[in-house]
Amino acid sequence: MPDQGTPACASCHGAQVQGAGTSPRLAGQPQEYLLRQIEVFKNGTRGNAPVTTAVAHTLNADQARAVAAYLQSR
Ligand code: HEC
């Protein structure tokens, strides 16, 4: 969603969101877990990842739920 400032998750997490370098695997992780991580990036409790924190802020609640559901299905 470039218009909203959201970069492609795959640009860091790997083409198949299988994980790449310091970016962990997202594919197949449980939706609720992924959603919780997006939330804690947003509220600053998980603060060691400035980039994903910035990305998380561009997602509204519906978009966060949708991307977490999609990633679980991968
Ligand atoms: C510029 C690189 C970059 C982009 C773009 C990016 N991420 Fe990340 N992401 C990271 C890094 C690095 C980490 C590891 C953070 C840490 O060490 O805690 C991470 C961690 C995560 C985690 C935690 C995974 C776990 O197992 O705890 C989730 C969930 C996540 N990203 C989702 C996303 C989503 C969804 C998008 C796209 C909307 C996205 N990321 C885009 C770099 C990125």
Side-chain angles (χ1 to χ4, degrees):
M1 298 179 292
D3 50 320
Q4 198 177 304
T6 310
C9 315
S11 66
C12 290
H13 289 276
Q16 309 298 321
V17 285
Q18 78 280 16
T22 55
S23 304
R25 176 184 189 90
L26 301 177
Q29 292 208 56
Q31 176 184 0
E32 288 308 318
Y33 171 75
L34 292 168
L35 198 51
R36 205 156 57 242
Q37 299 319 302
I38 292 169
E39 279 162 12
V40 297
F41 282 128
K42 260 181 143 168
N43 71 22
T45 347
R46 181 170 170 178
N48 60 333
V51 177
T52 284
T53 301
V55 172
H57 277 286
T58 69
L59 301 172
N60 67 31
D62 287 346
Q63 290 165 338
R65 178 158 290 279
V67 76
Y70 169 74
L71 291 167
Q72 175 181 264
S73 77
R74 292 293 309 269

